């Protein structure tokens, strides 16, 4: 959802990003601090039942994902390393958010074990969704889109979680987590079917570069040949390639 309004958010965060650049702060530093803030907000406040406060803290640090990108582009320091670091730390942040909610439902504050399971499933399917795209792209295929992308999952949990706690309507957060668990599962299936369709449409490039295994066993070129003729052992039974010893 943030991606769909990127132009608007860029205007909002550009003054902050430009200030950080003037202060000599790197985009990688902003990425790291943002991830630490997200993880701390989720794992400190969510398990204690302070859902609205955790959502506010996380939201403040989530914007670092836009700030670091803007800083890298503006300063001309965009790199494969920065992209890798940003994507990897995003996975940590997502895990902390849903993991914090798992701890909330599994602990005394939420005390709803079945919701802990649903939230854990949403976490696993969310991670699988991201992996499915990354793996497909590493194979030269495409697996983007789907019913629930990362930004949609993140915004849904934070916004609904905030109002669920403020309005004292915990059912709202339960509904959105159940919906995300289902939507993320469907997204994984959608991306898997998309990749399979691409592979089937181009069978010539479906392999990974290894020659296909032969269905007929090849004849052994050593059949009927004495080991000594191959240098695999001397007449006296010595080490391979050992010349005959004189008697």
């Amino acid at each position: 959802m943030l991606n769909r309004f990127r132009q608007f958010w860029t205007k909002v965060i550009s003054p902050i990003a430009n200030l950080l650049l003037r202060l000599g702060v790197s985009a990688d530093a902003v990425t790291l601090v943002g991830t630490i803030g997200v993880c701390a907000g989720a794992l400190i406040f969510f398990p204690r039942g302070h859902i609205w406060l955790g959502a506010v803290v996380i939201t403040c640090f989530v914007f670092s994902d836009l700030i670091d990108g803007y800083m890298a582009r503006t300063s001309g320091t965009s790199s494969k390393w920065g992209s890798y670091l940003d994507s990897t730390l995003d996975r940590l942040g997502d895990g902390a958010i849903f993991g914090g909610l798992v701890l909330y439902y599994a602990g005394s504050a939420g005390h709803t074990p079945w919701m802990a399971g649903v939230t854990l499933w949403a976490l696993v399917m969310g991670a699988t969704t991201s992996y499915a795209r990354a793996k497909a792209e590493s194979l030269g295929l495409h697996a983007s889109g789907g019913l629930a992308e990362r930004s949609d999952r993140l915004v849904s949990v934070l916004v609904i979680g905030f109002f669920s706690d403020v309005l004292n309507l915990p059912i709202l957060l339960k509904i959105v987590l159940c919906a995300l668990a289902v939507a993320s599962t469907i997204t994984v299936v959608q991306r898997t079917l998309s990749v399979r369709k691409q592979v089937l449409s181009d069978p010539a490039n479906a392999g990974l570069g290894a020659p296909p295994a032969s269905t007929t066993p090849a004849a052994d070129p050593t059949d009927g040949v004495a080991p000594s003729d191959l240098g695999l052992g001397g007449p006296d039974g010595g080490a391979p390639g050992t010349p005959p010893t004189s008697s």
Side-chain angles (χ1 to χ4, degrees), residues 141-230:
L141 304 170
H142 303 284
S144 58
L147 194 59
E149 296 187 306
R150 176 181 181 265
S151 54
D152 300 321
R153 298 192 302 269
L154 190 61
V155 172
S156 298
V157 167
L158 294 179
V159 172
I160 301 300
F162 175 84
F163 286 106
S164 175
D165 200 21
V166 170
L167 300 176
N168 195 25
L169 293 172
I171 188 64
L172 295 179
L173 183 56
K174 293 179 180 179
I175 291 174
V176 76
L177 286 171
C178 290
L180 286 178
V182 173
S184 297
T185 303
I186 294 175
T187 302
V188 171
V189 174
Q190 288 177 317
R191 293 187 173 185
T192 300
L193 293 177
S194 174
V195 169
R196 179 167 175 78
K197 182 178 180 181
Q198 294 171 61
V199 171
L200 293 178
S201 66
D202 190 11
N205 295 320
L208 292 175
S214 175
T215 56
T216 304
D220 186 353
T222 66
D223 283 349
V225 181
S228 58
D229 294 334
L230 296 173

Side-chain angles (χ1 to χ4, degrees), residues 232-244:
L232 299 179
D236 60 350
T242 303

Side-chain angles (χ1 to χ4, degrees), residues 119-155:
T119 308
L120 181 59
W121 181 253
L123 169 60
V124 171
M125 286 295 99
T128 305
T129 297
S130 299
Y131 175 80
R133 177 174 181 174
K135 182 61 179 179
E137 291 177 349
S138 73
L139 297 173
L141 304 170
H142 303 284
S144 58
L147 194 59
E149 296 187 306
R150 176 181 181 265
S151 54
D152 300 321
R153 298 192 302 269
L154 190 61
V155 172

Side-chain angles (χ1 to χ4, degrees), residues 57-161:
V57 172
I58 292 169
T59 300
C60 292
F61 284 101
V62 158
F63 283 98
S64 67
D65 198 39
L66 295 177
I67 295 175
D68 60 7
Y70 177 88
M71 291 173 64
R73 292 190 300 271
T74 302
S75 62
T77 57
S78 298
S79 65
K80 292 181 178 179
W81 161 248
S83 177
Y84 170 83
L85 181 66
D86 185 63
S87 296
T88 301
L89 294 183
D90 280 348
R91 304 288 85 75
L92 289 179
D94 293 353
I97 291 173
F98 284 90
L101 291 173
V102 171
L103 294 176
Y104 164 67
Y105 285 117
S108 58
H111 193 58
T112 314
W114 70 271
M115 272 306 302
V118 170
T119 308
L120 181 59
W121 181 253
L123 169 60
V124 171
M125 286 295 99
T128 305
T129 297
S130 299
Y131 175 80
R133 177 174 181 174
K135 182 61 179 179
E137 291 177 349
S138 73
L139 297 173
L141 304 170
H142 303 284
S144 58
L147 194 59
E149 296 187 306
R150 176 181 181 265
S151 54
D152 300 321
R153 298 192 302 269
L154 190 61
V155 172
S156 298
V157 167
L158 294 179
V159 172
I160 301 300

